[in-house]
């Protein structure tokens, strides 16, 4: 499929969101690192370029800069946040540290009519996240919109197709942000809106088929949406050359293994189940540091897969390991194509050993959860599987703060079962993006009957999100929370206090570790 737009990545946590918003409006977009030579970018024949945000400051001497000749190509260009500041700095304007950093919502005051802002309401809410700001525009640039704190919210060159936005149109909090990106793509660059999930599915199946050839794939399956979609893609691409493997690492929820086995039986994809719980629990014994837990789990997974692959090699060498890595896992663990910051090592990305016997196959690496759900529907997977809440690879290990023991695993399992069942019973399960329990490793005093208790505290976590990159705590009804807390305290011996987590992401993350 021909590339319509290129996003140059300067390390923003939101770079992929830009590409994703453009996919939503049907525009096929690829991301390249900011240092990609101009001739390589031009060889892709894009109709326009977007410069992403990034954590650096343009006035630093080692600031990330693209090749200066890129600005001479006459291609339409849209700079977002750092991207706009880079544009301003490169054309002779001034960027400085802002007196006050600006994070959060602002209202866009439109200063003139312009195709970039067509269909955008005056005072529309946009989302700011910047510590630097443009002090003065370069010659021949003008402001299209301002906000209470930012005189240059949207800018344009008076004759060349160069544009800048100080806010982030790609995040959901910028209410009409997609409209602005759509205007840039369709009205200014003249892109075609021909990308859809069906095209993506057939492209990925063809890519897997071509890449794998006569080799074999070990497909790591967790029972979650992502790995099930990957298994289905692999199975559609190379059929029985796919070996789907589910590892019971001892950190699963109640009844999880049985559910996964049933799901794969229904899908008619053969599944190998490996019980490796003692290996994982032994390695994790006494380990309390979250990143260490994640790395241990990542390594143990690979070890188990390599062992299983050896066993299966009677049928032919297994060259590939397919896994359901998503974009949020990648961006928060390692920089994808640019220089973004590590937030936590997702087990399937940052937690992998440097040397592995496998070549990785990660067909969902650039997608977000809701896109994977749409892809799954396209592939014909059942709705109840597609609508399951995400369950992270490290499982309950990152929902028990501190060291993990059999007793604490048992407590979280029972409490989690009560919480999730209650959400189903109250028909609230599908109104939240993810819900789970966290054992806090904090004891507090209580009174039950006439006796003093000194037992564990459990946190209930439920969030609303669309892609997992940002999330808001779910406003579950108090009566519901009260009845769940009562049930847990009455039925799970060892828990005498239940709290509800009201932190959003950012500043928190969804999981506690
Ligand atoms: P955080 O906690 O980073 O989580 O806000 C965002 C989403 O990703 C899930 N998550 C993971 N999924 N492997 C996974 O497959 C992991 O290591 C991992 N860590 C977090 C998390 O449950 C949430 O849905």
């Amino acid at each position: 499929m021909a590339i319509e737009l290129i996003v140059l990545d300067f390390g923003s946590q939101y770079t992929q969101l830009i590409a994703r918003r453009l996919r939503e409006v049907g525009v096929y977009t690829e991301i390249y690192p900011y240092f990609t030579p101009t001739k390589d970018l031009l060889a892709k024949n894009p109709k326009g370029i977007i410069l992403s945000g990034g954590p650096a400051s343009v006035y630093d001497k080692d600031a990330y800069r693209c090749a200066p000749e890129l600005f001479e190509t006459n291609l339409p260009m849209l700079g977002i946040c750092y991207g706009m500041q880079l544009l301003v700095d490169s054309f002779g304007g001034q960027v400085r540290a802002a007196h006050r950093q600006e994070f959060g919502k602002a209202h866009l005051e439109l200063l003139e009519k312009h195709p970039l802002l067509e269909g955008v309401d005056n005072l529309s809410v946009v989302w700011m996240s910047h510590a630097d700001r443009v002090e003065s525009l370069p010659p021949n640039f003008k402001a299209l919109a301002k906000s209470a704190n930012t005189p240059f919210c949207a800018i344009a060159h008076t004759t060349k197709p160069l544009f800048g936005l100080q806010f982030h149109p790609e995040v959901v909090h910028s209410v009409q942000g997609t409209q602005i990106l759509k205007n840039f793509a369709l009205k200014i660059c003249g892109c075609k809106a021909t990308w859809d999930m069906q095209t993506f599915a057939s492209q990925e199946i063809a890519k897997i088929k071509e890449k794998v050839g006569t080799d074999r794939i070990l497909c790591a399956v967790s029972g979650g949406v992502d790995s099930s979609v990957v298994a289905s893609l692999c199975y559609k691409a190379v059929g029985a050359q796919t070996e789907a493997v589910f590892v019971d690492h001892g950190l699963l929820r109640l009844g999880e293994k049985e559910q996964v086995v049933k799901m794969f039986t229904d899908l008619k994809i053969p599944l190998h189940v490996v019980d490796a719980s003692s290996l994982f629990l032994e390695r994790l014994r006494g380990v309390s540091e979250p990143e260490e837990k994640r790395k241990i789990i990542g390594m143990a997974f690979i070890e188990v897969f390599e062992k299983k692959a050896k066993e299966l090699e009677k049928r032919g060498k297994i060259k590939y390991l397919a896994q359901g890595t998503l974009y949020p896992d990648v961006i928060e663990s390692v920089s994808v194509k640019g220089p973004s910051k590590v937030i936590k090592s997702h087990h399937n990305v940052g937690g992998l050993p440097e040397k592995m016997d496998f070549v990785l196959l990660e067909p969902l690496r650039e997608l977000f959860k809701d896109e994977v759900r749409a892809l799954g529907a396209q592939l014909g997977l059942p709705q109840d599987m597609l609508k399951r809440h995400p369950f992270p690879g490290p499982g309950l290990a990152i929902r028990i703060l501190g060291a993990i023991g059999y007793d604490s695993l048992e407590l979280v399992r029972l409490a989690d079962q009560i919480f999730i069942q209650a959400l189903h019973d109250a028909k609230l399960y599908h109104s939240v993006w993810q819900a789970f329990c966290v054992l806090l490793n904090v004891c507090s005093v209580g009174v039950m009957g006439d006796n003093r208790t000194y037992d564990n505290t459990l946190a209930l976590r439920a969030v609303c999100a669309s892609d997992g990159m940002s999330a808001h705590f779910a406003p579950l009804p108090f009566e519901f929370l009260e009845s769940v807390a009562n049930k847990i305290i009455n039925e799970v011996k060892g828990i005498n206090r239940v709290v509800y987590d009201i932190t959003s992401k950012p500043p928190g993350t969804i999981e506690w570790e």
Side-chain angles (χ1 to χ4, degrees):
M1 184 156 202
I3 293 180
E4 296 289 312
L5 283 183
I6 281 180
V7 178
L8 266 200
D9 183 18
F10 289 88
S12 165
Q13 296 283 318
Y14 304 118
T15 300
Q16 253 299 335
L17 270 181
I18 305 172
R20 185 250 146 88
R21 295 285 166 244
L22 290 160
R23 286 199 289 273
E24 265 171 24
V25 294
V27 175
Y28 184 58
T29 307
E30 287 193 357
I31 299 175
Y32 292 92
Y34 69 91
F35 47 78
T36 310
T38 304
K39 70 171 177 17
D40 296 352
L41 296 175
L42 293 182
K44 311 267 171 203
N45 231 348
K47 295 189 176 126
I49 296 208
I50 294 181
L51 311 173
S52 84
S57 288
V58 283
Y59 47 77
D60 287 346
K61 69 174 186 328
D62 48 0
Y64 308 139
R65 308 191 83 94
C66 51
E69 65 269 18
L70 189 65
F71 297 120
E72 286 153 26
T73 55
N74 239 358
L75 272 174
M77 225 173 264
L78 174 67
I80 294 177
C81 197
Y82 178 84
M84 159 164 141
Q85 294 164 7
L86 182 67
L87 209 58
V88 165
D89 185 72
S90 307
F91 281 83
Q94 274 195 331
V95 177
R96 295 226 194 295
H99 294 305
R100 274 197 4 229
Q101 302 187 350
E102 197 181 13
F103 294 102
K105 290 177 183 169
H107 295 273
L108 199 62
E109 292 175 44
L110 304 183
L111 300 174
E112 66 171 79
K113 272 186 149 210
H114 191 279
L116 184 67
L117 301 175
E118 205 172 294
V120 176
D121 299 328
N122 193 31
L123 301 183
S124 178
V125 171
V126 293
W127 199 75
M128 297 281 188
S129 176
H130 61 111
D132 292 339
R133 72 176 211 164
V134 172
E135 288 296 327
S136 66
L137 290 180
N140 300 320
F141 274 82
K142 60 180 175 177
L144 300 178
K146 63 174 186 165
S147 74
N149 282 325
T150 308
F152 307 114
C153 269
I155 61 168
H157 193 281
T158 48
T159 53
K160 297 181 182 175
L162 299 174
F163 309 90
L165 301 172
Q166 183 54 73
F167 56 91
H168 287 268
E170 69 277 21
V171 304
V172 283
H173 315 292
S174 287
V175 179
Q176 293 176 305
T178 304
Q179 179 65 37
I180 301 174
L181 290 172
K182 185 175 169 184
N183 289 342
F184 176 70
L186 304 186
K187 289 189 191 308
I188 291 168
C189 302
C191 296
K192 288 201 195 77
T194 49
W195 188 93
D196 61 16
M197 214 29 110
Q198 194 179 355
T199 321
F200 182 82
S202 21
Q203 253 179 14
E204 285 310 305
I205 291 171
K207 269 197 222 163
I208 295 174
K209 210 178 210 156
E210 193 193 321
K211 188 166 183 182
V212 174
T214 54
D215 285 311
R216 304 174 70 72
I217 310 173
L218 190 145
C219 184
V221 157
S222 71
V225 183
D226 317 331
S227 56
S228 307
V229 167
V230 171
S232 167
L233 279 173
C234 291
Y235 213 72
K236 282 186 196 295
V238 296
Q241 284 160 258
T242 312
E243 303 280 7
V245 177
F246 172 74
V247 177
D248 177 356
H249 53 10
L251 305 159
L252 299 172
R253 292 171 294 189
L254 214 61
E256 186 122 39
K257 182 162 77 180
E258 296 70 20
Q259 276 176 26
V260 176
V261 169
K262 175 168 182 326
M263 221 149 63
F264 274 74
T265 312
D266 293 347
L267 283 176
K268 302 194 171 40
I269 300 181
L271 183 68
H272 305 278
V273 178
V274 181
D275 181 355
S277 46
S278 32
L279 173 85
F280 280 79
L281 296 180
E282 187 50 43
R283 297 263 168 95
L284 286 166
R285 191 165 8 160
V287 178
S288 55
E289 208 281 312
E291 278 298 283
E292 203 184 333
K293 283 185 189 173
R294 286 176 169 273
K295 298 236 153 94
I296 289 172
I297 292 168
M299 308 277 237
F301 263 121
I302 295 300
E303 214 177 296
V304 173
F305 290 139
E306 283 178 348
K307 194 164 161 225
K308 187 70 193 171
K310 291 256 147 29
E311 219 181 286
L312 293 169
E313 269 176 8
K314 287 174 219 119
R315 306 186 208 172
K317 173 140 178 78
I318 295 183
K319 183 167 169 193
Y320 293 95
L321 172 70
Q323 52 176 14
T325 313
L326 297 195
Y327 182 71
D329 310 340
V330 180
I331 188 65
E332 292 184 350
S333 297
V334 279
S335 181
V336 215
K337 292 186 172 162
S340 55
K341 299 246 158 104
V342 172
I343 307 294
K344 55 173 92 160
S345 309
H346 284 232
H347 79 289
N348 38 4
V349 191
L352 294 183
E354 273 171 24
K355 285 190 92 179
M356 287 192 302
D357 278 353
F358 298 114
V359 178
L360 278 182
L361 209 57
E362 296 179 314
L364 312 181
R365 206 177 154 85
E366 301 205 338
L367 298 188
F368 291 84
K369 190 75 156 196
D370 49 336
E371 292 182 299
V372 175
R373 290 195 166 117
L375 175 60
Q378 187 65 47
L379 296 168
L381 300 187
Q383 278 303 315
D384 58 338
M385 170 195 272
L386 297 175
K387 287 191 173 160
R388 281 183 83 189
H389 289 176
F391 183 60
L396 301 179
I398 53 170
R399 294 179 179 176
I400 294 170
L401 305 194
I404 301 152
Y406 286 97
D407 292 348
S408 42
L409 276 166
E410 208 46 34
L411 286 190
V412 198
R413 273 193 192 113
L414 293 174
D416 198 78
Q417 158 81 5
I418 292 173
F419 185 26
I420 300 300
Q421 189 55 50
L423 283 167
H424 279 296
D425 294 346
K427 306 227 171 320
L428 288 168
Y429 182 84
H430 294 301
S431 69
V432 300
W433 197 73
Q434 190 173 9
F436 52 91
C437 295
V438 186
L439 193 67
L440 301 191
N441 211 359
V442 168
C443 284
S444 73
V445 176
V447 51
M448 286 170 96
D450 286 328
N451 289 317
R452 175 190 195 268
T453 58
Y454 187 61
D455 273 337
N456 273 292
T457 311
L458 183 96
L460 304 179
R461 178 81 163 136
V463 295
C464 299
S466 67
D467 49 40
M469 290 291 285
S470 59
H472 197 267
F473 75 87
L476 293 175
F478 278 134
E479 312 78 67
F480 171 79
L481 290 171
E482 186 184 15
S483 86
V484 172
N486 266 336
K487 201 163 164 49
I488 289 175
I489 290 171
N490 279 316
E491 295 182 18
V492 186
K493 203 165 173 312
I495 294 176
N496 69 348
R497 190 177 295 267
V498 174
V499 297
Y500 188 52
D501 180 0
I502 56 165
T503 318
S504 292
K505 172 184 180 177
T509 53
I510 297 176
E511 305 284 345
W512 279 44
E513 289 196 334

